[in-house]
Amino acid sequence: SRSRAELFEGLSNTARVAFYGFVIAAALALAGAVLMALSRGVERALFPYAVILQTLPILALVPLFKGWFGPTRTARVVTCVLIAIFPLLTNFLFGLKSVDRGHRDLFTLHGANWWTRLWKLQLPAALPSIFTGLRIGAGLCVVGALVADFFFTRGDLGLGRLLNNYGQELRYELLFGGVILASLFGVLIYAFISWL
């Protein structure tokens, strides 16, 4: 039916935004975590800004993004990135810094450079924390995409906008269908990263 096609189109657009936001947030978080793990000075300089990002009222900023970027996919992706980046960064950094001291000393004893230490010691040791961060970040990106959709009445038709429309039009069966679809999508993403 037309409503089903509309829901799946909204899900497709929301999924695209969540995916772009997730990839960008994960890449920025990994780069930041690596820089902070390699240098205490960089960590002291950058981490306070990460904390500030976490405390920003994202819902209050979404209308600003709408003003800056217009009703584009970019504004939605920025919302996802800001919502997801702090949990990703803290998990990545925790993993990179939780290397066993004996292993670290062994690499130092053999004169390993920073790249060898990062590639062969820190990243493998950090994988459990990295994947925990990815699971959390992926779920937050789905939420971020849905929240951003609520604020944008033009541009791509996202699932959040559809849910808003259905609520205003009192079309509760479609509203419940959209909520279930969004939940299933979030669970599917979480399960996929857990499988990885």
Side-chain angles (χ1 to χ4, degrees), residues 51-135:
V51 173
I52 289 169
L53 273 179
Q54 175 65 14
T55 61
L56 286 174
I58 302 297
L59 289 180
L61 292 178
V62 172
L64 281 176
F65 300 153
K66 184 179 176 182
W68 292 337
F69 302 110
T72 63
R73 190 177 295 154
T74 304
R76 293 172 167 93
V77 170
V78 168
T79 304
C80 292
V81 169
L82 287 180
I83 285 177
I85 197 163
F86 185 76
L88 287 166
L89 179 67
T90 51
N91 276 283
F92 292 177
L93 183 59
F94 173 76
L96 290 170
K97 293 180 80 173
S98 63
V99 174
D100 181 71
R101 187 154 195 80
H103 293 149
R104 197 185 299 270
D105 291 343
L106 184 64
F107 272 66
T108 303
L109 184 65
H110 287 281
N113 62 21
W114 69 270
W115 174 251
T116 304
R117 188 184 300 262
L118 176 69
W119 187 247
K120 295 191 175 180
L121 176 64
Q122 289 176 286
L123 280 174
L127 283 177
S129 293
I130 287 174
F131 277 102
T132 298
L134 291 175
R135 274 199 308 258

Side-chain angles (χ1 to χ4, degrees), residues 6-196:
E6 192 177 58
L7 277 170
F8 280 106
E9 180 195 348
L11 177 64
S12 170
N13 289 329
T14 299
R16 196 173 297 119
V17 167
F19 175 75
Y20 294 151
F22 176 65
V23 168
I24 292 168
L28 289 173
L30 186 59
V34 166
L35 286 173
M36 287 189 250
L38 291 174
S39 165
R40 296 263 323 152
V42 171
E43 182 181 356
R44 280 195 296 270
L46 292 183
F47 201 74
Y49 292 106
V51 173
I52 289 169
L53 273 179
Q54 175 65 14
T55 61
L56 286 174
I58 302 297
L59 289 180
L61 292 178
V62 172
L64 281 176
F65 300 153
K66 184 179 176 182
W68 292 337
F69 302 110
T72 63
R73 190 177 295 154
T74 304
R76 293 172 167 93
V77 170
V78 168
T79 304
C80 292
V81 169
L82 287 180
I83 285 177
I85 197 163
F86 185 76
L88 287 166
L89 179 67
T90 51
N91 276 283
F92 292 177
L93 183 59
F94 173 76
L96 290 170
K97 293 180 80 173
S98 63
V99 174
D100 181 71
R101 187 154 195 80
H103 293 149
R104 197 185 299 270
D105 291 343
L106 184 64
F107 272 66
T108 303
L109 184 65
H110 287 281
N113 62 21
W114 69 270
W115 174 251
T116 304
R117 188 184 300 262
L118 176 69
W119 187 247
K120 295 191 175 180
L121 176 64
Q122 289 176 286
L123 280 174
L127 283 177
S129 293
I130 287 174
F131 277 102
T132 298
L134 291 175
R135 274 199 308 258
I136 295 166
L140 288 173
C141 279
V142 172
V143 171
L146 288 167
V147 165
D149 284 340
F150 266 91
F151 285 89
F152 293 94
T153 54
R154 297 196 320 258
D156 292 341
L157 182 65
L159 194 54
R161 189 162 117 212
L162 280 174
L163 294 176
N164 194 22
N165 293 346
Y166 295 151
Q168 289 176 354
E169 296 164 7
L170 307 179
R171 297 165 74 187
Y172 294 121
E173 70 287 350
L174 290 174
L175 181 61
F176 281 119
V179 167
I180 290 167
L181 196 60
S183 299
L184 288 174
F185 177 62
V187 168
L188 185 69
I189 296 296
Y190 185 89
F192 175 71
I193 294 177
S194 296
W195 174 79
L196 277 182

